[in-house]
Amino acid sequence: MVSVASTFGRSGTHDYVLVRASAIIMALYSLFIIGFFVTTPDVTYANWSALFSSLWVKVFTLLTLTAVLMHGWIGIWQVLTDYVKATRLRALIQFVVSVGLIAMWLTGLFVLWGV
Amino acid sequence: MKKVAISVYRYNPDVDDKPYMKDYTLEVDEKQDLMVLDLLIKLKEQDPSLAFRRSCREGVCGSDGVNMNGKNGLACITPMSSLKGRKIVIRPLPGLPVIRDLIVDMSQFYQQYERIKPYLINDEKTPPARERLQSPEDRAKLDGLYECILCACCSTSCPSFWWNPDKFVGPAGLLHAYRFLIDSRDTATEERLDDLDDAFSVFRCHGIMNCVNVCPKGLNPTKAIGHIKSMLLNRAV
Ligand code: SF4
Ligand code: SF4
Ligand code: FES
């Protein structure tokens, strides 16, 4: 057993499931947004904000942002542990990316709140 | 007679500052299709300082894994006619430290093998008087797994093993791990899975399938790794 502190999930299996599950959520959300653009002849501010005013779209959006956060966190950690062998540099990059992802999530939360 | 151009990776740490490629020309019979190992043996007659491993010279022992024209394989069962290009380029297996010329230090490879406990564990109180029997079906599950000769062609072609040879078990080790996980006579399945359930040991395999592409015994480590992943997942949900 290789023990590693900075992974996101509890175990390798947990990480693996989170990456797959979050990928499915992101794919569904992408289809949903593409579907909106395809079925809406002219996208205006009115129907765009109407879309995001319904509760389930808000929940779906926030769920997707959470998926991006987990997917990005685990994915970047995997890439960094492959290619960046200097521990301090890797920790720094991981920190910056993780903070960025959390900031993205919070930004999304407040934007949704305001609609 | 025809001339064959061969370029071989040379490095003797006692005299060389750094590795270099040395070009040779060999005369071989027009009609003969020699194995790469035969070429190496002829080269050694020409230049006795050339070092490489070999033993059985028929694809059984796994000693002469090398990289030929960019692809790992056993020199003794790779015919020169199968190598495309005007020149034959022979290098040591990638990713492992070179001891000399085509000889690599396999310690990390063997450490990963050792880690998966490559032996039968059975905690039944009373061992059978003669032997542990298996049904033909249970025995069949070991096919495609037990044939591995630990030549390291697969693990040294795997990018995940290159980047983390100390943490990722690698295709050869995982093939053996699965061989014991599905053995009906082995009772340590849970403990074995516990030891593999981290972010590196198994899950660093991203299904690149270089291992399947090079295995000289035609084995499929990726499939075995897929089975281990399913076992870990079934246990988690
Ligand atoms: S399938 Fe997995 S073990 Fe095989 S080469 Fe690819 S990453 Fe390595
Ligand atoms: S799986 Fe194939 S390539 Fe890998 S060590 Fe075994 S025999 Fe060699
Ligand atoms: S010399 Fe034994 S496998 Fe090639």
Side-chain angles (χ1 to χ4, degrees), chain A residues 93-110:
Chain A
I93 303 175
Q94 181 77 45
F95 175 75
V96 171
V97 172
S98 304
V99 167
L101 284 167
I102 295 168
M104 175 233 38
W105 189 88
L106 287 170
T107 310
L109 179 69
F110 290 123

Side-chain angles (χ1 to χ4, degrees), chain B residues 136-148 175 178-179 182 219-220 223:
Chain B
E137 293 75 33
D138 281 338
R139 168 61 189 78
K141 290 179 186 161
L142 308 182
D143 288 339
L145 304 170
Y146 80 91
E147 299 94 328
C148 172
L175 190 88
Y178 184 59
R179 182 244 170 278
I182 49 129
L219 308 178
N220 190 334
K223 200 167 139 204

Side-chain angles (χ1 to χ4, degrees), chain B residues 113-176:
Chain B
Y113 176 60
E114 199 182 336
R115 227 188 89 196
I116 62 104
K117 302 198 174 77
Y119 40 83
L120 196 80
I121 302 173
N122 188 304
D123 60 6
E124 279 163 28
K125 291 287 168 290
T126 47
R130 295 190 58 187
E131 59 204 299
R132 295 187 198 281
L133 296 175
Q134 255 187 327
S135 69
E137 293 75 33
D138 281 338
R139 168 61 189 78
K141 290 179 186 161
L142 308 182
D143 288 339
L145 304 170
Y146 80 91
E147 299 94 328
C148 172
I149 54 173
L150 291 172
C151 64
C153 288
C154 56
S155 293
T156 58
S157 70
C158 171
S160 290
F161 189 74
W162 294 340
W163 311 144
N164 290 293
D166 55 334
K167 300 191 186 76
F168 174 52
V169 174
L174 290 170
L175 190 88
H176 285 269

Side-chain angles (χ1 to χ4, degrees), chain A residues 30-108:
Chain A
S30 308
L31 287 177
F32 168 67
I33 292 294
I34 293 168
F36 171 78
F37 280 107
V38 170
T39 55
T40 314
D42 44 39
V43 179
T44 60
Y45 176 76
N47 55 26
W48 182 247
S49 61
L51 175 75
F52 282 93
S53 63
S54 70
L55 181 65
W56 77 269
V57 177
K58 284 187 188 182
V59 172
F60 192 15
T61 308
L62 202 58
L63 194 68
T64 306
L65 288 175
T66 313
V68 173
L69 172 70
M70 294 188 309
H71 200 88
W73 189 303
I74 300 170
I76 285 292
W77 179 81
Q78 291 191 344
V79 173
L80 289 178
T81 46
D82 270 355
Y83 296 108
V84 183
K85 293 297 170 191
T87 314
R88 279 165 191 235
L89 180 64
R90 187 175 70 232
L92 178 72
I93 303 175
Q94 181 77 45
F95 175 75
V96 171
V97 172
S98 304
V99 167
L101 284 167
I102 295 168
M104 175 233 38
W105 189 88
L106 287 170
T107 310

